[in-house]
Amino acid sequence: MPEQSEQSPLDLTEGDPFGPHNLPYGVFSTADEPGRRRLGVRVGDHVLDAGAAAHALGSPYAALLAQPSLNPLLAAGRTAWRDVRRALTAWVTVPAHRPDIEPLLHPLSAVTLHLPYEVADYVDFYASEHHATNVGRIFRPDGEPLTPNWKHLPIGYHGRSGTVVVSGTDIVRPSGQRKAPADPAPVFGPSVKLDIEAEVGFLVGTPSALGERVPLTAFPDHVFGLTLLNDWSARDIQAWEYVPLGPFLGKSFATSVSAWVTPLEALDAARVSPPDRDFALLPYLDDSSEEEPGGFDLRITVRINGEIVSEPPFSTMYWTAAQQLAHMTVNGASLRTGDLFGSGTVSGPEVHQRGSLLELTWNGQEPLELPDGKRTFLEDGDEVTLTAWAPGPDGTKVGLGEVTGRIVPAH
């Protein structure tokens, strides 16, 4: 009987969320060359060495892909993004390329994944009406839950790019000042209200000039793709410091992102219209006549120590990423390659769709019941994992990877 050949890593099972319809980008290193970082593309449960593949097949983009970071490809612009994606799709689907491609595929279990881009600036928004309403009801129970400006502009703040870390990085519990309303004076110590925020991050490729506005229609010319994001939040530190200038130390200690960046082109089938707006928007934010809907149908799952605690739907977000980009630059602020902006906490209308522990436990009044005990906020040793998928072409699913972080005690 003839010997059966080993199955190729390119022979994916039907419905694999990381098939050729997806092809997210990352950066990896191998055990034999731990100091050499390479640009990779995920195919099933393997990662393709994109630079080596481009070199082997004589691609004009070989130099661009033989880099230790995604930033050169980000800066190359939309035409290059499209051309490289088309080439990658052919490399992993055309049988004639298999002899060249198969030796360049590395099992995910055998590589180390790194932060795939150098973060320039980091901005975080507050775009979920359900989240903002819940927070308003928690902290202003006798007043209007939304501030007067909320439905007229995407509210945001500038964060700290140097503390954006890749999935798998431990999160050190932050210390700082905190003061409960009844306390006579503030105290210093580790946060006792450490929280998560399930978000989606958008990665800027093409920069813009200082003084130049980026209109809604230019969103796909500047934004390369998206990634899962967890904006860790120390609610007690935040509550004491944020009036009048907003979040500072309660947010800046860490923001975790997935090791994978999904190109916008992979999400064409996931485009949806945002919720109906209650007020007419100013022209630079008015997307009512846009041909392509600005929302994305992304299904997020939040787990704490392996237990599902929430499933926030990104399709409910009031403000779109295109509107956020337009607002972020309407004053002339420039974009830089590697800019990252977060959507803000993703929450839906149902209790099991809330994207933060602040909401899920109603600021600690309604603890979560987990197999290893009750939770109001995160305890040392807790591991939080966000995963997500989006509808793809022809009934497929587009996997968005995961972002995981484990809480370790304050230093």
Side-chain angles (χ1 to χ4, degrees):
M1 181 181 247
E3 190 174 320
Q4 213 168 15
S5 61
E6 188 176 335
Q7 183 176 350
S8 167
L10 296 174
D11 293 327
L12 304 179
T13 57
E14 186 176 354
D16 192 306
F18 294 98
H21 62 288
N22 188 349
L23 301 179
Y25 293 87
V27 167
F28 73 100
S29 61
T30 58
D32 57 331
E33 293 184 283
R36 181 185 167 210
R37 297 190 179 189
R38 317 179 207 179
L39 191 58
V41 174
R42 183 167 176 177
V43 185
D45 58 0
H46 285 70
V47 56
L48 172 67
D49 186 330
H55 177 76
L57 295 172
S59 168
Y61 292 103
L64 197 63
L65 296 177
Q67 300 290 334
S69 166
L70 196 53
N71 286 59
L73 178 59
L74 297 178
R78 191 178 180 186
T79 298
W81 306 341
R82 183 184 62 241
D83 290 349
V84 169
R85 180 170 169 78
R86 286 176 179 172
L88 285 164
T89 303
W91 298 346
V92 300
T93 58
V94 176
H97 293 320
R98 286 196 170 196
D100 293 307
I101 295 298
E102 286 177 342
L104 306 176
L105 289 160
H106 301 264
L108 278 174
S109 58
V111 303
T112 299
L113 298 174
H114 305 277
L115 185 65
Y117 44 86
E118 298 167 24
V119 183
D121 288 314
Y122 171 56
V123 173
D124 196 40
F125 284 94
Y126 190 48
S128 165
E129 181 178 1
H130 300 292
H131 172 68
T133 299
N134 287 335
V135 172
R137 286 173 177 160
I138 289 171
F139 292 113
R140 296 185 298 276
D142 299 322
E144 286 295 322
L146 295 181
T147 53
N149 61 348
W150 199 91
K151 290 198 173 181
H152 295 277
L153 58 85
I155 295 173
Y157 71 92
H158 284 273
R160 192 177 183 90
S161 60
T163 54
V164 176
V165 296
V166 73
S167 175
T169 304
D170 284 347
I171 305 301
V172 178
R173 182 178 295 274
S175 294
Q177 285 194 32
R178 61 181 191 270
K179 179 185 177 299
D183 292 344
V187 298
F188 179 87
S191 170
V192 297
K193 287 189 173 183
L194 185 55
D195 200 359
I196 63 171
E197 289 192 344
E199 302 192 24
V200 175
F202 292 85
L203 182 61
V204 171
T206 311
S208 65
L210 185 64
E212 174 186 305
R213 298 176 182 179
V214 177
L216 293 171
T217 53
F219 173 76
D221 296 321
H222 290 276
V223 173
F224 175 81
L226 56 79
T227 185
L228 286 179
L229 184 150
N230 187 348
D231 188 34
W232 307 93
S233 301
R235 301 297 185 188
D236 43 356
I237 296 173
Q238 180 184 358
W240 173 233
E241 73 180 1
Y242 87 109
V243 178
L245 290 184
F248 186 34
L249 301 185
K251 296 276 194 177
S252 63
F253 58 96
T255 301
S256 295
V257 293
S258 169
W260 301 106
V261 180
T262 303
L264 286 185
E265 199 173 346
L267 295 166
D268 286 345
R271 290 289 191 139
V272 293
S273 296
D276 292 336
R277 276 55 179 268
D278 298 324
F279 299 94
L281 299 177
L282 291 173
Y284 78 97
L285 292 172
D286 185 3
D287 59 358
S288 58
S289 61
E290 294 296 307
E291 292 184 7
E292 188 173 47
F296 291 92
D297 181 9
L298 313 177
R299 324 287 179 88
I300 303 171
T301 299
V302 182
R303 291 178 172 85
I304 297 179
N305 301 331
E307 292 293 316
I308 295 177
V309 297
S310 180
E311 295 181 299
F314 193 77
S315 59
T316 63
M317 299 295 274
Y318 191 88
W319 295 105
T320 70
Q323 289 171 321
Q324 291 169 341
L325 188 71
H327 186 66
M328 192 164 62
T329 60
V330 74
N331 66 345
S334 56
L335 297 175
R336 295 196 291 169
T337 296
D339 280 357
L340 178 68
F341 62 99
S343 62
T345 305
V346 183
S347 291
E350 307 297 331
V351 172
H352 72 279
Q353 296 175 330
R354 296 172 179 172
S356 68
L357 288 173
L358 176 67
E359 299 166 86
L360 286 167
T361 71
W362 214 249
N363 198 23
Q365 296 178 42
E366 303 168 9
L368 290 180
E369 296 281 354
L370 297 179
D372 56 351
K374 294 183 178 181
R375 291 292 187 285
T376 51
F377 292 93
L378 295 173
E379 298 182 0
D380 291 345
D382 282 346
E383 184 174 81
V384 180
T385 299
L386 312 182
T387 56
W389 63 273
D394 304 318
T396 58
K397 291 183 178 181
V398 176
L400 300 183
E402 70 172 45
V403 55
T404 293
R406 183 174 62 92
I407 307 301
V408 298
H411 289 173

